[in-house]
Amino acid sequence: MDQMAPIAHPDKIFVDGEWSAPASNTRIEVLDSATEEPFAYVPEAQVEDVDKCVAAARRAFDSGPWPRMTHAERAVFLERIGREFDKRATDIASIWTREAGFVHSASQPSAMMLSSTFDYYASLAQTFPFEEQRPTSPYSANVGLLVREPVGVVAAIIPWNGAASLIGWKCAPALLAGCTVVLKASPEAPGACYIFAECCEAAGLPPGVVNVITADREVSESLVRHRGVDKVTFTGSTAAGRKIASICGDRIARCTLELGGKSPALICDDYDLSLAAETIATSARMLTGQVCMSLTRLIVTERRHGAFVEALAASFGSTLVGDPFDESTQMGPLASARQRERVEGHIQRAKNDGIQLALGGGRPAGLNRGYYVEPTIFSGVGNDAAIAREEVFGPVLTVIPAKDEQDMLRMANDTAYGLNASVFTEDVDRAYHFARELRSGTVGHNALRTDFALAFGGFKQSGIGREGGIEGLMPFLETKAILIDGLPSHLSRSA
């Protein structure tokens, strides 16, 4: 591996607490998104590697100490992992920028906050009711206990755009619950997963509790199908999520799916257009639009449509695109050649459909290397147009005119997705009313907003289940009712 990639064991997989040789010599080449040059090589896992990892996780769950520890004991390990993440924040930020094009001025502070996820779930060891006494019905039992136990072996499959943060939101609650994990990294972005494995090793996690591999779709599917896996937690496209759900449904495995989005912003007539345009343009630059919750369907009344497009073009068009390690850069490249081709395909299709191109649509001048795309705006878009309905996952915005505010609400809900939304209005009551009417997992006010401390996830084809907060712990737990004749001694003492 290139010396610039700060990974200790680039030629190994992490399984059963050790760095082991993979089943084959096949390697995955990881390219720098800004230079198109290789900066890392990691093993491409085979089915044999998946079997090995699942077997290790299965042993660790079925007969190892991890699920038999108290939650407070497991919380100590989570805190240790958090401290190890703190030590590696600079490495993670650099990898995030190189793999996904996330500008370094944003990846650095983001990497410094990763440990907070592990600290948060560690804190729940003291406050979450993993065991509680409940009233019983007549003729049932003298004592009814409701206990929440770990679901088992978890396959955690993460995407390439936000790998570093999603490791925490999937693995921290799973580990606190007492689950063991097989973490599957994306071929485009394995770096953070390798660093996580190193952090787990440094924290002294028992063997088999966390196992890490990198694999493409066919081998990943073998992980989802594996009967040694009790639960799959996946973040990625709706198409891939649909496949995973069908496989899990066939064998009644649990799954949590955080999928695609085509999120609307409703700009009400009482809100300043210039302020809305600047706010939306700023958030649209984040990770070059490779964000599932990005506000890309901008709905405004017909009489203000032209003025809003003009303000948005002025703001988004002033974006400084370039080297993601330059602190003045506001937007970097897309993650890969495949992703740029996908985004450019959506743009070309919209142009072929006769949609008005108000800004961009090509590659930035002077950037001959790297997977760059200009900030792009389509205006006068009908809500039934492909560019208004399909997730682009790039810096492409659509402005949709509506007759009135009720029409805005109708069009916002007329989508297969329901991940995120925002209402731009000076009236808090109106914002709340619209929020209750919108079929969306998150609704923000006057900005792109989300809060994993509450919960994150989507309605409709944007997913199943939630991540973050207490809601993000629940999918890793099974609920058991225990009906007995008297209080067990540990509860009698606490009473």
Side-chain angles (χ1 to χ4, degrees):
M1 173 181 282
D2 191 308
Q3 293 284 322
M4 292 185 292
I7 300 171
H9 306 280
D11 57 338
K12 302 288 197 302
I13 62 172
F14 187 67
V15 55
D16 210 15
E18 297 180 347
W19 293 98
S20 303
S24 83
N25 293 324
T26 306
R27 298 192 304 171
I28 293 169
E29 181 182 65
V30 184
L31 301 180
D32 187 311
S33 60
T35 67
E36 305 183 39
E37 296 292 330
F39 87 99
Y41 294 91
V42 299
E44 182 177 2
Q46 306 299 310
V47 172
E48 297 91 332
D49 298 311
V50 169
D51 291 341
K52 191 175 179 181
C53 286
V54 174
R58 191 79 260 168
R59 285 192 301 272
F61 184 80
D62 292 339
S63 57
W66 186 253
R68 291 155 190 88
M69 293 179 181
T70 65
H71 297 93
E73 289 171 333
R74 290 196 290 269
V76 171
F77 286 94
L78 264 66
E79 290 170 346
R80 290 178 187 170
I81 293 171
R83 302 294 70 74
E84 294 300 325
F85 255 125
D86 286 338
K87 296 175 186 176
R88 302 300 298 276
T90 298
D91 291 339
I92 293 170
S94 176
I95 286 172
W96 206 345
T97 296
R98 300 187 73 176
E99 288 177 340
F102 195 17
V103 293
H104 195 253
S105 60
S107 69
Q108 185 68 41
S110 296
M112 293 173 65
M113 296 171 59
L114 295 174
S115 63
S116 64
T117 305
F118 291 89
D119 292 339
Y120 168 76
Y121 280 106
S123 74
L124 292 186
Q126 304 297 331
T127 60
F128 186 81
F130 290 100
E131 182 176 27
E132 54 186 324
Q133 186 174 355
R134 293 283 185 88
T136 57
S137 58
Y139 314 111
S140 169
N142 291 335
V143 174
L145 300 178
L146 189 148
V147 297
R148 297 182 176 92
E149 299 179 349
V151 71
V153 174
V154 172
I157 303 173
I158 61 171
W160 45 262
N161 61 327
S165 58
L166 287 169
I167 288 168
W169 293 117
K170 293 184 185 300
C171 293
L175 293 174
L176 177 66
C179 300
T180 57
V181 177
V182 178
L183 178 64
K184 204 289 294 183
S186 164
E188 291 87 357
C193 292
Y194 269 77
I195 288 181
F196 175 60
E198 293 176 28
C199 291
C200 290
E201 183 182 32
L205 213 60
V209 174
V210 167
N211 310 271
V212 179
I213 55 173
T214 306
D216 217 330
R217 293 182 182 180
E218 184 177 344
V219 175
S220 298
E221 185 172 316
S222 75
L223 176 61
V224 175
R225 291 188 181 279
H226 204 297
R227 294 194 176 274
V229 171
D230 299 296
K231 174 182 172 59
V232 177
T233 174
F234 169 79
T235 297
S237 71
T238 295
R242 191 178 294 115
K243 178 72 170 179
I244 289 171
S246 68
I247 294 171
C248 290
D250 184 60
R251 61 186 189 87
I252 318 297
R254 279 66 175 143
C255 67
T256 301
L257 307 173
E258 195 277 283
L259 307 178
K262 191 70 175 179
S263 301
L266 287 69
I267 299 100
C268 296
D269 283 348
D270 70 330
Y271 200 79
D272 181 81
L273 289 177
S274 295
L275 180 57
E278 178 61 31
T279 301
I280 291 168
T282 299
S283 65
R285 298 169 184 137
M286 183 173 62
L287 247 172
T288 319
Q290 301 167 121
V291 181
C292 57
M293 63 187 178
S294 184
L295 301 173
T296 56
R297 299 169 62 223
L298 315 178
I299 309 176
V300 62
T301 52
E302 292 171 348
R303 68 182 184 85
R304 304 214 304 166
H305 171 270
F308 179 67
V309 170
E310 184 178 343
L312 185 65
S315 183
F316 203 26
S318 68
T319 300
L320 181 59
V321 181
D323 178 2
F325 282 99
D326 186 327
E327 293 299 304
S328 66
T329 296
Q330 295 175 303
M331 193 173 84
L334 294 166
S336 65
R338 180 170 63 179
Q339 184 58 22
R340 182 171 64 178
E341 289 168 6
R342 183 175 181 273
V343 171
E344 289 178 333
H346 280 285
I347 292 171
Q348 187 59 51
R349 179 179 174 184
K351 291 164 68 175
N352 292 345
D353 289 344
I355 309 295
Q356 178 65 44
L357 182 65
L359 178 74
R363 299 182 183 183
L367 294 173
N368 300 320
R369 289 197 310 167
Y371 308 118
Y372 293 96
V373 171
E374 291 178 314
T376 298
I377 301 171
F378 286 96
S379 63
V381 182
N383 200 47
D384 59 347
I387 197 68
R389 305 191 78 81
E390 298 174 1
E391 185 176 39
V392 175
F393 227 58
V396 180
L397 304 177
T398 58
V399 184
I400 303 170
K403 295 177 182 177
D404 52 34
E405 291 185 356
Q406 280 305 115
D407 195 33
M408 290 167 53
L409 183 60
R410 178 192 64 78
M411 288 196 291
N413 283 330
D414 181 17
T415 173
Y417 298 109
L419 186 59
N420 192 29
S422 189
V423 183
F424 288 76
T425 177
E426 298 291 353
D427 187 335
V428 172
D429 289 335
R430 176 187 282 149
Y432 176 79
H433 169 72
F434 273 49
R436 294 305 303 268
E437 292 294 325
L438 286 163
R439 300 285 294 164
S440 177
T442 298
V443 181
H445 185 201
N446 296 342
L448 170 66
R449 300 185 190 275
T450 190
D451 192 339
F452 272 80
L454 293 177
F456 183 77
F459 287 24
K460 298 184 279 187
Q461 292 187 31
S462 286
I464 299 172
R466 295 293 181 269
E467 291 185 324
I470 292 173
E471 300 298 324
L473 173 61
M474 297 297 285
F476 297 102
L477 298 169
E478 293 278 21
T479 301
K480 178 184 289 183
I482 299 178
L483 304 169
I484 51 180
D485 288 339
L487 277 176
S489 57
H490 73 283
L491 290 179
S492 299
R493 289 193 298 271
S494 63

